[in-house]
PDB file of all heavy atoms in Angstrom:
ATOM      1  N   PHE A 458      -3.504 -43.233   6.392  1.00 95.00           N
ATOM      2  CA  PHE A 458      -2.852 -44.536   5.981  1.00 95.00           C
ATOM      3  C   PHE A 458      -1.521 -44.577   6.832  1.00 95.00           C
ATOM      4  O   PHE A 458      -0.725 -43.672   6.914  1.00 95.00           O
ATOM      5  CB  PHE A 458      -2.522 -44.633   4.502  1.00 95.00           C
ATOM      6  CG  PHE A 458      -1.701 -45.745   4.151  1.00 95.00           C
ATOM      7  CD1 PHE A 458      -2.222 -47.046   4.007  1.00 95.00           C
ATOM      8  CD2 PHE A 458      -0.352 -45.552   3.955  1.00 95.00           C
ATOM      9  CE1 PHE A 458      -1.443 -48.136   3.583  1.00 95.00           C
ATOM     10  CE2 PHE A 458       0.500 -46.629   3.549  1.00 95.00           C
ATOM     11  CZ  PHE A 458      -0.090 -47.881   3.426  1.00 95.00           C
ATOM     12  N   ASP A 459      -1.290 -45.754   7.431  1.00 95.00           N
ATOM     13  CA  ASP A 459      -0.100 -45.895   8.222  1.00 95.00           C
ATOM     14  C   ASP A 459       0.467 -47.347   8.088  1.00 95.00           C
ATOM     15  O   ASP A 459      -0.321 -48.306   8.155  1.00 95.00           O
ATOM     16  CB  ASP A 459      -0.397 -45.604   9.696  1.00 95.00           C
ATOM     17  CG  ASP A 459       0.886 -45.496  10.585  1.00 95.00           C
ATOM     18  OD1 ASP A 459       1.943 -46.036  10.213  1.00 95.00           O
ATOM     19  OD2 ASP A 459       0.848 -44.743  11.544  1.00 95.00           O
ATOM     20  N   SER A 460       1.689 -47.496   7.717  1.00 95.00           N
ATOM     21  CA  SER A 460       2.214 -48.804   7.550  1.00 95.00           C
ATOM     22  C   SER A 460       3.667 -48.852   8.056  1.00 95.00           C
ATOM     23  O   SER A 460       4.393 -47.906   8.200  1.00 95.00           O
ATOM     24  CB  SER A 460       2.212 -49.208   6.044  1.00 95.00           C
ATOM     25  OG  SER A 460       3.174 -48.320   5.338  1.00 95.00           O
ATOM     26  N   SER A 461       4.109 -50.054   8.392  1.00 95.00           N
ATOM     27  CA  SER A 461       5.457 -50.381   8.791  1.00 95.00           C
ATOM     28  C   SER A 461       5.799 -51.869   8.559  1.00 95.00           C
ATOM     29  O   SER A 461       4.920 -52.614   8.224  1.00 95.00           O
ATOM     30  CB  SER A 461       5.662 -50.062  10.249  1.00 95.00           C
ATOM     31  OG  SER A 461       4.766 -50.883  11.122  1.00 95.00           O
ATOM     32  N   GLY A 462       7.116 -52.153   8.527  1.00 94.00           N
ATOM     33  CA  GLY A 462       7.413 -53.504   8.318  1.00 94.00           C
ATOM     34  C   GLY A 462       8.955 -53.705   8.006  1.00 94.00           C
ATOM     35  O   GLY A 462       9.653 -52.629   8.005  1.00 94.00           O
ATOM     36  N   GLU A 463       9.422 -54.887   7.786  1.00 92.00           N
ATOM     37  CA  GLU A 463      10.814 -55.151   7.516  1.00 92.00           C
ATOM     38  C   GLU A 463      10.841 -56.123   6.344  1.00 92.00           C
ATOM     39  O   GLU A 463      10.121 -57.092   6.294  1.00 92.00           O
ATOM     40  CB  GLU A 463      11.499 -55.754   8.701  1.00 92.00           C
ATOM     41  CG  GLU A 463      11.632 -54.674   9.854  1.00 92.00           C
ATOM     42  CD  GLU A 463      12.626 -55.108  10.860  1.00 92.00           C
ATOM     43  OE1 GLU A 463      13.265 -56.235  10.701  1.00 92.00           O
ATOM     44  OE2 GLU A 463      12.730 -54.430  11.936  1.00 92.00           O
ATOM     45  N   LEU A 464      11.804 -55.898   5.398  1.00 88.00           N
ATOM     46  CA  LEU A 464      12.096 -56.769   4.282  1.00 88.00           C
ATOM     47  C   LEU A 464      13.539 -56.999   4.199  1.00 88.00           C
ATOM     48  O   LEU A 464      14.378 -56.248   4.598  1.00 88.00           O
ATOM     49  CB  LEU A 464      11.601 -56.078   3.006  1.00 88.00           C
ATOM     50  CG  LEU A 464      10.100 -55.802   2.856  1.00 88.00           C
ATOM     51  CD1 LEU A 464       9.852 -55.076   1.543  1.00 88.00           C
ATOM     52  CD2 LEU A 464       9.261 -57.022   2.930  1.00 88.00           C
ATOM     53  N   ARG A 465      13.937 -58.205   3.707  1.00 88.00           N
ATOM     54  CA  ARG A 465      15.340 -58.496   3.600  1.00 88.00           C
ATOM     55  C   ARG A 465      15.513 -59.216   2.249  1.00 88.00           C
ATOM     56  O   ARG A 465      14.609 -59.745   1.676  1.00 88.00           O
ATOM     57  CB  ARG A 465      15.838 -59.331   4.694  1.00 88.00           C
ATOM     58  CG  ARG A 465      15.117 -60.707   4.783  1.00 88.00           C
ATOM     59  CD  ARG A 465      15.716 -61.582   5.921  1.00 88.00           C
ATOM     60  NE  ARG A 465      14.981 -62.789   6.169  1.00 88.00           N
ATOM     61  CZ  ARG A 465      15.195 -63.861   5.388  1.00 88.00           C
ATOM     62  NH1 ARG A 465      16.118 -63.950   4.419  1.00 88.00           N
ATOM     63  NH2 ARG A 465      14.429 -64.973   5.542  1.00 88.00           N
ATOM     64  N   VAL A 466      16.770 -59.208   1.747  1.00 82.00           N
ATOM     65  CA  VAL A 466      17.066 -59.973   0.506  1.00 82.00           C
ATOM     66  C   VAL A 466      17.113 -61.472   0.852  1.00 82.00           C
ATOM     67  O   VAL A 466      17.747 -61.869   1.731  1.00 82.00           O
ATOM     68  CB  VAL A 466      18.462 -59.403  -0.015  1.00 82.00           C
ATOM     69  CG1 VAL A 466      18.814 -60.291  -1.267  1.00 82.00           C
ATOM     70  CG2 VAL A 466      18.421 -58.013  -0.415  1.00 82.00           C
ATOM     71  N   PRO A 467      16.421 -62.303   0.057  1.00 76.00           N
ATOM     72  CA  PRO A 467      16.466 -63.669   0.286  1.00 76.00           C
ATOM     73  C   PRO A 467      17.745 -64.296  -0.046  1.00 76.00           C
ATOM     74  O   PRO A 467      18.678 -63.597  -0.631  1.00 76.00           O
ATOM     75  CB  PRO A 467      15.316 -64.267  -0.599  1.00 76.00           C
ATOM     76  CG  PRO A 467      15.221 -63.267  -1.703  1.00 76.00           C
ATOM     77  CD  PRO A 467      15.541 -61.904  -1.029  1.00 76.00           C
ATOM     78  N   GLU A 468      17.981 -65.519   0.262  1.00 68.00           N
ATOM     79  CA  GLU A 468      19.192 -66.235  -0.002  1.00 68.00           C
ATOM     80  C   GLU A 468      19.485 -66.259  -1.469  1.00 68.00           C
ATOM     81  O   GLU A 468      20.604 -66.300  -1.900  1.00 68.00           O
ATOM     82  CB  GLU A 468      19.143 -67.664   0.516  1.00 68.00           C
ATOM     83  CG  GLU A 468      19.052 -67.741   2.107  1.00 68.00           C
ATOM     84  CD  GLU A 468      19.050 -69.156   2.535  1.00 68.00           C
ATOM     85  OE1 GLU A 468      19.155 -70.082   1.727  1.00 68.00           O
ATOM     86  OE2 GLU A 468      19.062 -69.384   3.806  1.00 68.00           O
ATOM     87  N   SER A 469      18.463 -66.212  -2.278  1.00 60.00           N
ATOM     88  CA  SER A 469      18.674 -66.077  -3.798  1.00 60.00           C
ATOM     89  C   SER A 469      19.345 -64.844  -4.295  1.00 60.00           C
ATOM     90  O   SER A 469      19.908 -64.789  -5.338  1.00 60.00           O
ATOM     91  CB  SER A 469      17.339 -66.293  -4.504  1.00 60.00           C
ATOM     92  OG  SER A 469      16.437 -65.206  -4.215  1.00 60.00           O
ATOM     93  N   GLY A 470      19.262 -63.800  -3.393  1.00 65.00           N
ATOM     94  CA  GLY A 470      19.882 -62.511  -3.678  1.00 65.00           C
ATOM     95  C   GLY A 470      19.164 -61.630  -4.544  1.00 65.00           C
ATOM     96  O   GLY A 470      19.547 -60.609  -4.989  1.00 65.00           O
ATOM     97  N   GLU A 471      17.786 -61.880  -4.819  1.00 69.00           N
ATOM     98  CA  GLU A 471      16.943 -61.080  -5.686  1.00 69.00           C
ATOM     99  C   GLU A 471      16.095 -60.107  -4.823  1.00 69.00           C
ATOM    100  O   GLU A 471      15.175 -60.595  -4.073  1.00 69.00           O
ATOM    101  CB  GLU A 471      16.004 -61.984  -6.490  1.00 69.00           C
ATOM    102  CG  GLU A 471      16.737 -62.804  -7.538  1.00 69.00           C
ATOM    103  CD  GLU A 471      17.309 -61.879  -8.682  1.00 69.00           C
ATOM    104  OE1 GLU A 471      16.793 -60.804  -8.939  1.00 69.00           O
ATOM    105  OE2 GLU A 471      18.197 -62.330  -9.358  1.00 69.00           O
ATOM    106  N   MET A 472      16.472 -58.857  -4.929  1.00 71.00           N
ATOM    107  CA  MET A 472      15.668 -57.787  -4.091  1.00 71.00           C
ATOM    108  C   MET A 472      14.255 -57.656  -4.698  1.00 71.00           C
ATOM    109  O   MET A 472      13.389 -57.144  -4.022  1.00 71.00           O
ATOM    110  CB  MET A 472      16.371 -56.466  -4.086  1.00 71.00           C
ATOM    111  CG  MET A 472      15.896 -55.506  -3.041  1.00 71.00           C
ATOM    112  SD  MET A 472      15.979 -56.239  -1.375  1.00 71.00           S
ATOM    113  CE  MET A 472      14.514 -55.429  -0.608  1.00 71.00           C
ATOM    114  N   THR A 473      14.113 -58.052  -5.923  1.00 76.00           N
ATOM    115  CA  THR A 473      12.797 -57.996  -6.619  1.00 76.00           C
ATOM    116  C   THR A 473      11.774 -58.974  -5.942  1.00 76.00           C
ATOM    117  O   THR A 473      10.563 -58.881  -6.118  1.00 76.00           O
ATOM    118  CB  THR A 473      12.822 -58.182  -8.082  1.00 76.00           C
ATOM    119  OG1 THR A 473      13.356 -59.557  -8.350  1.00 76.00           O
ATOM    120  CG2 THR A 473      13.570 -57.108  -8.745  1.00 76.00           C
ATOM    121  N   GLN A 474      12.277 -59.927  -5.170  1.00 81.00           N
ATOM    122  CA  GLN A 474      11.406 -60.922  -4.453  1.00 81.00           C
ATOM    123  C   GLN A 474      11.900 -60.898  -3.007  1.00 81.00           C
ATOM    124  O   GLN A 474      12.492 -61.924  -2.522  1.00 81.00           O
ATOM    125  CB  GLN A 474      11.538 -62.300  -5.114  1.00 81.00           C
ATOM    126  CG  GLN A 474      11.082 -62.394  -6.477  1.00 81.00           C
ATOM    127  CD  GLN A 474      11.235 -63.798  -7.139  1.00 81.00           C
ATOM    128  OE1 GLN A 474      11.852 -64.611  -6.483  1.00 81.00           O
ATOM    129  NE2 GLN A 474      10.636 -63.915  -8.299  1.00 81.00           N
ATOM    130  N   PRO A 475      11.582 -59.878  -2.295  1.00 86.00           N
ATOM    131  CA  PRO A 475      12.056 -59.748  -0.876  1.00 86.00           C
ATOM    132  C   PRO A 475      11.215 -60.710   0.078  1.00 86.00           C
ATOM    133  O   PRO A 475      10.216 -61.244  -0.260  1.00 86.00           O
ATOM    134  CB  PRO A 475      11.693 -58.316  -0.513  1.00 86.00           C
ATOM    135  CG  PRO A 475      10.530 -57.998  -1.424  1.00 86.00           C
ATOM    136  CD  PRO A 475      10.835 -58.674  -2.628  1.00 86.00           C
ATOM    137  N   VAL A 476      11.852 -60.887   1.217  1.00 89.00           N
ATOM    138  CA  VAL A 476      11.180 -61.713   2.253  1.00 89.00           C
ATOM    139  C   VAL A 476      11.017 -60.878   3.495  1.00 89.00           C
ATOM    140  O   VAL A 476      11.841 -60.144   3.943  1.00 89.00           O
ATOM    141  CB  VAL A 476      12.116 -62.953   2.654  1.00 89.00           C
ATOM    142  CG1 VAL A 476      11.463 -63.780   3.748  1.00 89.00           C
ATOM    143  CG2 VAL A 476      12.286 -63.848   1.410  1.00 89.00           C
ATOM    144  N   GLY A 477       9.750 -60.925   4.056  1.00 91.00           N
ATOM    145  CA  GLY A 477       9.450 -60.147   5.214  1.00 91.00           C
ATOM    146  C   GLY A 477       7.976 -59.899   5.351  1.00 91.00           C
ATOM    147  O   GLY A 477       7.102 -60.499   4.685  1.00 91.00           O
ATOM    148  N   THR A 478       7.599 -58.935   6.216  1.00 93.00           N
ATOM    149  CA  THR A 478       6.228 -58.655   6.553  1.00 93.00           C
ATOM    150  C   THR A 478       6.020 -57.141   6.629  1.00 93.00           C
ATOM    151  O   THR A 478       6.795 -56.453   7.199  1.00 93.00           O
ATOM    152  CB  THR A 478       5.820 -59.245   7.951  1.00 93.00           C
ATOM    153  OG1 THR A 478       6.062 -60.684   7.848  1.00 93.00           O
ATOM    154  CG2 THR A 478       4.400 -59.039   8.223  1.00 93.00           C
ATOM    155  N   LEU A 479       4.898 -56.716   6.057  1.00 93.00           N
ATOM    156  CA  LEU A 479       4.367 -55.323   6.167  1.00 93.00           C
ATOM    157  C   LEU A 479       3.045 -55.347   6.770  1.00 93.00           C
ATOM    158  O   LEU A 479       2.124 -56.094   6.390  1.00 93.00           O
ATOM    159  CB  LEU A 479       4.413 -54.687   4.759  1.00 93.00           C
ATOM    160  CG  LEU A 479       5.680 -54.652   3.944  1.00 93.00           C
ATOM    161  CD1 LEU A 479       5.467 -53.928   2.609  1.00 93.00           C
ATOM    162  CD2 LEU A 479       6.729 -53.804   4.720  1.00 93.00           C
ATOM    163  N   ASN A 480       2.835 -54.348   7.618  1.00 94.00           N
ATOM    164  CA  ASN A 480       1.531 -54.147   8.283  1.00 94.00           C
ATOM    165  C   ASN A 480       1.020 -52.739   7.917  1.00 94.00           C
ATOM    166  O   ASN A 480       1.795 -51.819   7.874  1.00 94.00           O
ATOM    167  CB  ASN A 480       1.580 -54.246   9.741  1.00 94.00           C
ATOM    168  CG  ASN A 480       2.069 -55.687  10.246  1.00 94.00           C
ATOM    169  OD1 ASN A 480       1.212 -56.561  10.236  1.00 94.00           O
ATOM    170  ND2 ASN A 480       3.267 -55.885  10.615  1.00 94.00           N
TER     171      ASN A 480
END
Side-chain angles (χ1 to χ4, degrees):
F458 170 82
D459 196 331
S460 67
S461 62
E463 293 192 3
L464 301 174
R465 62 177 176 82
V466 176
E468 293 183 0
S469 63
E471 291 291 335
M472 193 60 213
T473 56
Q474 297 181 351
V476 175
T478 303
L479 298 179
N480 295 286

